[in-house]
Amino acid sequence: MAKVREKLYVTVPNLFRCPISMDVMRSPVSLCTGVTYDRSSIQRWLESGHDTCPATMQVLPSKDFIPNLTLHRLIRLWLISAAGEPSSPSESRISAASDRLRALLTGIQTDAEDFAASLSELAEFSRFSADNRRVLVSFPGFDSAIARALAGSRSRIEALENVIAVLDLVLRENGNSDSGAGERIRRSILDTREDCLAAIAFAIENGSAKLKVASVRVLEFLAGDFQSKRWIAETRGLLSQLVKLLNDGTEELNGAVLSLLASVSVTQSAKAELVRLEIIKAVSKTLQSAACSGSMAEKCLRVLAVVVTCADGRAAMGGDLSCAAAVVERLAKAGKAATEDAMAVLWSLCCLCGNEKVRDEVAKRNGVAVVLLVMQRGCEGHVRSMCVDLIKVLRKNGLPLALGLSYDTKTTHIKPC
């Protein structure tokens, strides 16, 4: 494999590297000091409170920056220079690597004996460095070749491990780049979606834990619009496999699954199917676990907020009081997005459905106090309206008197009686 690395490694000119991240710049911008950085890196530097140029440490009279269009064009030309004639030793190495890549992409589109070997070598190339992955994702013909390889890997775990590893690596780093390479890959895969989605579903059902995580992440990337979300949700047996993973998966796998389920559940039929598969029971169990981290809780609340928008979801949550109890417990420490999701769940059950048992459970869990604290932290628009509605219906349970609190709905302050 050392020969593979020697043969395919791509050397990046220092001029193209961001002085902060040392990675190839995707969107080079220049400060008033004349130093160029990648936009995302310098934005993080400035937004963290610094007022100096990282390279020179000069105090910046202005934090404005301008796009370095010339350098951006040079980087783009370098990335696609494989198609040109080499004129320097550096370009010769790139050209040699491109010749091999072209051969590998040809190899993974056939059913010949070199399919597995070419795919394995391509995976090794993508794992070797971020620079390699940037070249690969922009390489002419990569999108159609990797889509065909995925479709051809159905029911072949070893091949799936390599093709999904390549997709996971390049899409996580370059899927949302300005070049549009990620969108080309997504469209190529969805053009042959029946075979490609079936192959990914097979990997999720039969692969290793690592392959399952990578497969779920690739699916979430593919779910870029309503139609693709619907296609993924309707893939035979996929939702069932994903819900099963929540019962015995690792935190990394569970987090990836929850994000995907929240993303693809865009139709009433998909939400109803999740309810039938007992997603609420699985999510409630996760929420109640002492090991459930804050980020995991946010993903659980997002799924519940999606499922509660269908009648079957509201009925199932209303019949599982532990779900509402878990939501109240997490609401007190939730971030802004998770707070909105938690409030949507409680409002749907207590106000929209008027479920008395859920109201009693929320009241017993100090629900009024928690909602008051949410309002005091600051909330606006429909979230504030939901809070006010909840206060009104929960007060009928007598809880505010028990707490010794009264609430003025014209303010966001808790006042002692």
Side-chain angles (χ1 to χ4, degrees), residues 127-146:
R127 292 187 186 101
F128 187 68
S129 70
D131 298 330
N132 282 11
R133 294 189 284 277
R134 291 191 187 93
V135 170
L136 186 59
V137 77
S138 299
F139 198 84
F142 170 72
D143 51 339
S144 59
I146 200 68

Side-chain angles (χ1 to χ4, degrees), residues 368-386:
V368 170
V370 173
V371 174
L372 289 173
L373 290 173
V374 168
M375 297 187 74
Q376 188 152 313
R377 287 204 304 258
C379 58
E380 300 176 354
H382 67 286
V383 178
R384 177 178 172 81
S385 296
M386 288 190 292

Side-chain angles (χ1 to χ4, degrees), residues 118-172:
S118 297
L119 197 51
S120 177
E121 191 172 338
L122 192 67
E124 176 64 16
F125 173 72
S126 65
R127 292 187 186 101
F128 187 68
S129 70
D131 298 330
N132 282 11
R133 294 189 284 277
R134 291 191 187 93
V135 170
L136 186 59
V137 77
S138 299
F139 198 84
F142 170 72
D143 51 339
S144 59
I146 200 68
R148 188 165 179 178
L150 177 59
S153 299
R154 185 174 178 177
S155 304
R156 302 160 69 176
I157 282 295
E158 185 175 351
L160 282 170
E161 286 179 345
N162 285 320
V163 70
I164 290 178
V166 172
L167 282 169
D168 184 39
L169 285 167
V170 299
L171 292 176
R172 272 194 289 163

Side-chain angles (χ1 to χ4, degrees), residues 24-38:
V24 175
M25 289 181 278
R26 300 182 185 182
S27 180
V29 294
S30 299
L31 291 178
C32 59
T33 57
V35 182
T36 299
Y37 302 90
D38 187 64

Side-chain angles (χ1 to χ4, degrees), residues 80-86 91 95 98:
I80 62 175
S81 62
E85 291 296 324
E91 290 185 8
S95 182
S98 71

